[in-house]
Amino acid sequence: MAYFNYQDKSVFYEEYGQGEPLIFLHGNTASSKMSELLMPLYEENFRCILIDFLGNGQSDRVESFTPDMWHDEALQTVALTEHLQCGKASLIGTSGGAWAAVNAALERPDLFHVVIADSFDGRTLNEDFSANLLFERKMAKEDIQSREFYEWCQGADWEKVVDLDTEALLKCAEEKRPLFHKPLKELKTPILFMGSREDESCRNNIEEEYREMASMLSESSIYLFPKGGHPSLFSNAEEAATLIKNFISQHIS
């Protein structure tokens, strides 16, 4: 187990494999536990670093999450990269972690080779975000498998973590907080937008949104898997790993 300090709190991270550093950023209500399942696909090629964002997993708890959590998580990612003193790293962010990854690269382009932004809504939350979130969280709490997933990721206090996350996301949506802390067009880090056409947790027009974002950027690619649920990094694990390895190798000399 390893920790680094962020705003006087301990943030957990774990490492697997050797090679070019590759940091995995988990989504909301998840933790590094999810990415552990993917390590056999990556650890032979990369030094894989898995983080539990503050308030999640094995990291210290917080009284509340900021509605700008994806910017705060980006700053945690920057702090981790500086702590590791590993030179430039690549980022994989999935779902909420995708916003954190893009924000980290916008904040400190000098620290990151590439970004893989997987299975997220893009520049804005979809129109029905709040209603869908409340319904999904309610149903999840009543579903045995979902409850077990939350407890696996977060521990015995999973319900408190989920409730705090829900509160912050609802406030973010209500106040129409910007999801990127700087204009997306300022992103200089090569980025791969990845997702699944069957992902019901993302906006219906995800391909259109990805294409509009890509048109603003000098180095970007898009790949949508025809099948698979949320997120595609897991539902299309082997194909995604091959895609990501190729994308990284193209941009690291």
Side-chain angles (χ1 to χ4, degrees):
M1 289 187 179
Y3 293 85
F4 69 97
N5 187 270
Y6 177 78
Q7 296 184 348
D8 296 323
K9 290 186 178 293
S10 294
V11 181
F12 172 84
Y13 71 95
E14 194 166 16
E15 298 192 42
Y16 296 81
Q18 295 180 337
E20 287 287 340
L22 178 60
I23 303 176
F24 288 74
L25 308 182
H26 65 79
N28 292 65
T29 69
S31 72
S32 61
K33 284 281 189 182
M34 282 190 70
S35 296
E36 288 178 7
L37 303 175
L38 299 175
M39 289 304 97
L41 299 174
Y42 293 91
E43 60 187 351
E44 290 185 7
N45 302 94
F46 301 102
R47 176 186 176 186
C48 301
I49 302 119
L50 284 55
I51 183 175
D52 281 344
F53 288 126
L54 203 58
N56 292 274
Q58 298 182 65
S59 291
D60 281 353
R61 293 300 186 250
V62 295
E63 291 184 5
S64 63
F65 290 117
T66 170
D68 295 316
M69 69 170 68
W70 295 314
H71 180 240
D72 188 64
E73 291 174 353
L75 298 181
Q76 293 176 51
T77 304
V78 168
L80 170 60
T81 309
E82 291 179 329
H83 169 78
L84 293 170
Q85 297 183 329
C86 60
K88 276 195 168 186
S90 296
L91 296 175
I92 298 180
T94 189
S95 194
W99 279 296
V102 175
N103 275 310
L106 283 167
E107 193 75 26
R108 289 291 303 276
D110 58 304
L111 289 180
F112 305 109
H113 282 300
V114 304
V115 170
I116 293 91
D118 172 48
S119 304
F120 76 126
D121 273 352
R123 294 166 293 177
T124 61
L125 300 173
N126 67 72
E127 293 180 359
D128 300 320
F129 177 83
S130 294
N132 289 342
L133 178 69
L134 286 170
F135 177 77
E136 289 170 4
R137 295 283 166 90
K138 180 179 182 296
M139 297 302 292
K141 284 186 177 183
E142 297 172 359
D143 179 73
I144 293 176
Q145 287 187 329
S146 296
R147 291 167 64 91
E148 289 176 346
F149 169 78
Y150 285 145
E151 186 169 6
W152 177 61
C153 285
Q154 306 295 356
D157 64 341
W158 66 266
E159 192 162 8
K160 179 65 172 177
V161 176
V162 172
D163 287 345
L164 291 178
D165 183 82
T166 302
E167 290 173 13
L169 289 177
L170 290 174
K171 190 171 183 180
C172 176
E174 179 186 354
E175 297 178 356
K176 294 183 169 54
R177 299 283 184 109
L179 307 184
F180 300 129
H181 198 246
K182 295 181 179 180
L184 181 63
K185 64 182 180 181
E186 294 183 8
L187 183 68
K188 304 304 180 187
T189 307
I191 185 168
L192 169 62
F193 295 109
M194 191 172 75
S196 167
R197 297 183 187 278
E198 289 186 344
D199 188 344
E200 295 182 353
S201 295
C202 289
R203 62 169 71 232
N204 293 329
N205 63 335
I206 188 172
E207 182 172 8
E208 178 184 349
E209 176 65 11
Y210 278 6
R211 291 193 182 282
E212 288 185 12
M213 287 191 293
S215 70
M216 303 166 60
L217 304 170
S218 57
E219 292 189 82
S220 60
S221 299
I222 299 169
Y223 191 87
L224 291 172
F225 297 97
K227 303 289 185 181
H230 184 81
S232 71
L233 183 69
F234 295 87
S235 64
N236 291 276
E238 293 185 4
E239 297 91 335
T242 299
L243 184 69
I244 289 165
K245 290 173 191 175
N246 291 338
F247 185 76
I248 293 174
S249 65
Q250 289 170 12
H251 293 93
I252 298 180
S253 56

